[in-house]
Amino acid sequence: MNEIKIAPSILAANPAKMGDELKKIEDAGADYVHIDIMDAHFVPNLAFSPAMVKAFKPLCKLPFDVHLMITDPKKYIPVFAEAGADIITVHQEVTEDLGEMADFIHQFGVKAGISVKPGTPVEVLEGYIDTFDLVLIMTVEPGFGGQSYIEAMNEKIAKARQMIEKTGKAIELEIDGGVTPANVATPVSYGANVAVAGSAVFNAADAAAVISEMRANAR
Ligand code: DX5
Ligand code: ZN
């Protein structure tokens, strides 16, 4: 098993010190910056705008992993791509045509991700997984950081990995919500290879130590 990738979610960062926070995770050895976009419709919360993503871009060399928790992703994909997203993930629950969505995202020169909420079976992605670069399994209800990992998602992660293996492509399998050094090992053993972590990284005194611990526990 290769090393997992760690994607700290800046939803848990100090918004008044974003430059320092981005530098901190870059120095700590993170692989991606996970940026949650919320519209107060798809989820009952608001977070980050295209202008903010654009302002953060020059402050950090890590790829920007942009998670759109919004009801009309197509309308905002061009603007987030322009703002500096490297990966754009949309939700299955607000996507009518999955194949068309993947092509649409790719048009803007970014990688395409597809996400499912805890209540959505991963089987809805059957036949379309190979059009995406990343599958994101939500391991909490989307909308807020600091929630507890839903253990029942482990089975879905295993199923998603089986579906990915069948495509023969190097599609990433990301988990998001409640991931900590203490619980990362099981989902990784089931095939997750990218771990988003908000509170675990940003609420810690030593972000680098948490990231190393997550990697070590995932081995
Ligand atoms: C929740 C977001 C997550 C969140 C994770 O809707 O998609 O990315 O920031 O935060 P933690 O790691 O604190 O659960
Ligand atoms: Zn997220």
Side-chain angles (χ1 to χ4, degrees):
M1 187 77 195
N2 295 326
E3 286 272 1
I4 59 160
K5 292 181 181 171
I6 311 283
S9 168
I10 57 168
L11 191 63
N14 180 345
K17 295 187 175 167
M18 204 52 91
D20 296 342
E21 297 283 64
L22 289 167
K23 178 93 177 56
K24 179 168 90 180
I25 56 169
E26 193 176 299
D27 292 348
D31 298 280
Y32 297 150
V33 183
H34 186 81
I35 309 181
D36 290 308
I37 313 294
M38 304 187 188
D39 67 350
H41 289 276
F42 183 70
V43 289
N45 197 5
L46 283 163
F48 302 117
S49 68
M52 294 164 95
V53 172
K54 193 169 194 164
F56 301 156
K57 191 65 180 175
L59 308 178
C60 183
K61 293 196 253 328
L62 301 174
F64 277 19
D65 171 30
V66 174
H67 177 194
L68 299 183
M69 283 164 278
I70 65 179
T71 50
D72 193 359
K74 262 186 121 172
K75 189 168 171 187
Y76 296 95
I77 286 162
V79 61
F80 280 107
E82 212 274 321
D86 296 283
I87 305 165
I88 297 183
T89 297
V90 301
H91 269 267
Q92 181 277 335
E93 297 83 1
V94 288
T95 302
E96 267 177 41
D97 184 332
L98 291 168
E100 187 214 38
M101 181 61 90
D103 289 347
F104 185 78
I105 298 172
H106 285 139
Q107 267 178 53
F108 299 94
V110 299
K111 290 187 174 175
I114 189 74
S115 182
V116 285
K117 288 165 59 166
T120 304
V122 71
E123 287 78 3
V124 297
L125 305 181
E126 199 81 67
Y128 295 99
I129 281 212
D130 66 339
T131 59
F132 288 93
D133 305 289
L134 178 147
V135 174
L136 169 53
I137 305 292
M138 286 305 302
T139 47
V140 298
E141 283 302 331
F144 300 91
Q147 304 179 75
S148 298
Y149 184 89
I150 303 171
E151 295 290 336
M153 294 302 107
N154 288 335
E155 218 174 291
K156 197 198 272 193
I157 292 160
K159 175 75 199 168
R161 176 50 69 188
Q162 283 171 13
M163 289 166 69
I164 288 172
E165 290 304 307
K166 270 197 242 158
T167 71
K169 294 190 179 169
I171 297 161
E172 304 213 279
L173 184 56
E174 184 174 53
I175 50 172
D176 183 9
V179 181
T180 68
N183 65 18
V184 73
T186 304
V188 169
S189 74
Y190 288 167
N193 77 302
V194 184
V196 174
S199 331
V201 169
F202 287 103
N203 293 351
D206 186 346
V210 171
I211 289 175
S212 310
E213 199 187 343
M214 284 185 77
R215 283 195 214 284
N217 292 355
R219 262 172 224 138

